[in-house]
């Protein structure tokens, strides 16, 4: 076993899945090696009963996914410094194996440049991984591990030094694309991201559009992502490609209306600080198979 690395876990909940949350916490408690300390953040709701030793934070209002996770990070000290690695897990997920935390320790210990690990998400009944859950363009084989340019928000591990260097998730995004914003900042700071098919979170197959705000926030945050992070010449190219792709997918009229409204909102509302990535980071993204124009 790799020693020395402390691992924590951050789980946010709306309090509406107590059985699934309990099962997830049990799977965290069963991880091999040193104990993984868990913090559950009630995002605008009370936290259901949790096992003894699990810390809880109850927020008076829903801060959104990135806001809730940032509160969880700070529960481990500024930028999570009380631990070396933080797992971020959806409250209706379940760690499939008992060695996931130990595999994370080994991965980060072996590669000083590794900043983020994205887990494979699999349906607990069929074992299938949805294509959208493989964070790369060549997503046909979910069993192939590789370097990637983004990660899955509810099934990942982050070296806390990343937060200390580049900051946390963007609170203002509330939902959608907050992972890519952090990923781009981490890559720009010299960190790498791995997708690992052997680190598995069981999660029921779902469609992202189940969220009422999906189309508006996906479009708004896509614009914010570009405005915050891309060199100026790439902003219209990136957003033009995504506008074209959205139209080619032929969304329903209400969905398209919401998407276009969000796209407009992304241009007319504050997006937070702008820190365009270096051109060498653009080249790194391109070499990793995902140039920041798509």
């Amino acid at each position: 076993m790799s020693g020395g690395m402390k691992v924590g876990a951050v789980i946010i909940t709306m309090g509406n899945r107590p059985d699934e949350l309990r099962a997830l916490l049990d799977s965290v408690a069963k991880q091999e090696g040193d104990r993984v300390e868990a913090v559950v953040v009630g995002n605008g709701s009370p936290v259901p009963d949790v096992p003894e030793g699990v810390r809880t934070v109850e927020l008076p209002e829903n801060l959104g996914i990135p806001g809730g996770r940032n509160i969880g990070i700070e529960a481990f000290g500024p930028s999570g410094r009380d631990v070396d690695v933080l797992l971020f897990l959806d409250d209706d997920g379940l760690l499939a194996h008992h060695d996931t935390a130990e595999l994370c320790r080994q991965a980060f210990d072996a590669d000083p440049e590794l900043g983020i690990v994205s887990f494979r998400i699999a349906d607990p009944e069929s074992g299938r991984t949805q294509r959208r859950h493989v964070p790369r363009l060549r997503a046909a084989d979910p069993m192939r591990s590789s370097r990637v340019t983004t990660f899955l928000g509810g099934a990942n591990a982050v070296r806390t030094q990343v937060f200390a260097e580049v900051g946390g998730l963007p609170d203002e995004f509330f939902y959608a694309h907050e992972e890519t914003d952090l990923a781009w900042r981490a890559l720009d700071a010299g960190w790498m991201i791995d997708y690992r098919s052997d680190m598995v979170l069981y999660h029921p197959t779902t469609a992202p559009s189940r969220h009422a705000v999906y189309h508006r926030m996906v479009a708004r945050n896509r614009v914010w992502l570009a405005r915050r992070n891309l060199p100026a010449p790439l902003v219209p190219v990136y957003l033009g490609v995504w506008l074209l792709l959205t139209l080619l997918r032929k969304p329903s009229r209400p969905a398209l209306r919401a998407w276009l409204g969000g796209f407009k909102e992304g241009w007319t509302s504050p997006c937070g600080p702008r820190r365009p990535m270096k051109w060498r980071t653009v080249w790194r993204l391109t070499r990793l198979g995902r140039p920041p124009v798509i």
Side-chain angles (χ1 to χ4, degrees):
M1 289 188 177
S2 78
M5 279 205 167
K6 296 181 180 179
V7 179
V10 172
I11 301 156
I12 59 174
T13 183
M14 299 291 290
N16 55 351
R17 294 190 280 239
D19 295 339
E20 292 89 340
L21 174 62
R22 187 71 180 227
L24 171 62
L25 290 169
D26 288 345
S27 74
V28 171
K30 292 175 182 176
Q31 291 299 298
E32 298 169 358
D34 293 338
R35 177 175 175 266
V36 177
E37 182 179 353
V39 169
V40 178
V41 178
N43 214 354
S45 67
V47 175
D49 289 338
V50 296
E52 185 177 352
V54 174
R55 288 191 288 158
T56 63
V57 180
E58 294 186 352
L59 304 178
E61 62 177 311
N62 183 354
L63 299 183
I65 293 173
R69 287 183 177 144
N70 283 337
I71 294 294
I73 294 169
E74 296 301 308
F76 289 92
S79 301
R81 68 183 182 191
D82 294 345
V83 294
D84 301 293
V85 175
L86 279 174
L87 311 180
F88 294 87
L89 308 169
D90 276 352
D91 68 341
D92 55 344
L94 183 76
L95 289 173
H97 309 299
H98 296 168
D99 64 350
T100 302
E102 183 57 24
L103 288 173
C104 286
R105 292 186 188 97
Q106 293 172 3
F108 287 114
D109 189 55
D111 186 353
E113 293 186 344
L114 182 62
I116 303 172
V117 173
S118 188
F119 300 168
R120 181 167 63 90
I121 293 179
D123 183 85
E125 295 185 3
S126 67
R128 294 181 60 184
T129 296
Q130 292 180 269
R131 188 181 182 91
R132 69 184 182 89
H133 283 154
V134 182
R136 58 175 179 246
L137 291 178
R138 296 176 180 175
D141 182 8
M143 301 306 295
R144 179 172 67 86
S145 299
S146 68
R147 293 283 201 201
V148 290
T149 61
T150 189
F151 63 99
L152 307 173
N156 68 80
V158 181
R159 192 191 297 263
T160 54
Q161 190 179 343
V162 173
F163 298 126
E165 288 189 15
V166 307
L169 296 155
D171 287 343
E172 55 268 54
F173 278 41
F174 198 85
Y175 165 79
H177 300 319
E178 67 272 6
E179 303 92 353
T180 300
D181 186 89
L182 176 61
W184 283 2
R185 285 183 282 127
L187 288 163
D188 198 47
W191 295 103
M192 300 301 290
I193 306 170
D194 278 355
Y195 166 73
R196 288 282 297 264
S197 64
D198 57 336
M199 302 182 189
V200 182
L201 184 84
Y202 283 147
H203 189 283
T205 298
T206 57
S209 55
R210 69 190 186 281
H211 299 290
V213 296
Y214 172 77
H215 297 287
R216 179 177 71 85
M217 288 196 172
V218 160
R220 183 197 68 182
N221 292 0
R222 182 79 70 183
V223 178
W224 282 358
L225 179 69
R227 288 176 58 198
R228 287 163 59 97
N229 295 287
L230 290 181
L234 294 185
V235 173
V237 179
Y238 176 81
L239 294 175
V241 167
W242 278 104
L243 176 60
L244 179 61
L245 286 173
T246 300
L247 296 174
L248 289 174
R249 289 169 178 167
K250 298 180 180 179
S252 68
R253 185 167 295 181
L256 181 59
R257 188 182 302 116
W259 196 95
L260 292 173
F263 192 79
K264 179 181 178 182
E265 184 183 351
W267 286 106
T268 58
S269 58
C271 64
R274 172 167 166 75
R275 299 187 181 95
M277 66 178 65
K278 307 173 190 73
W279 282 104
R280 69 185 181 196
T281 305
V282 173
W283 176 236
R284 171 185 279 192
L285 287 162
T286 302
R287 285 190 293 110
L288 289 170
R290 189 109 192 198
V293 293
I294 188 169

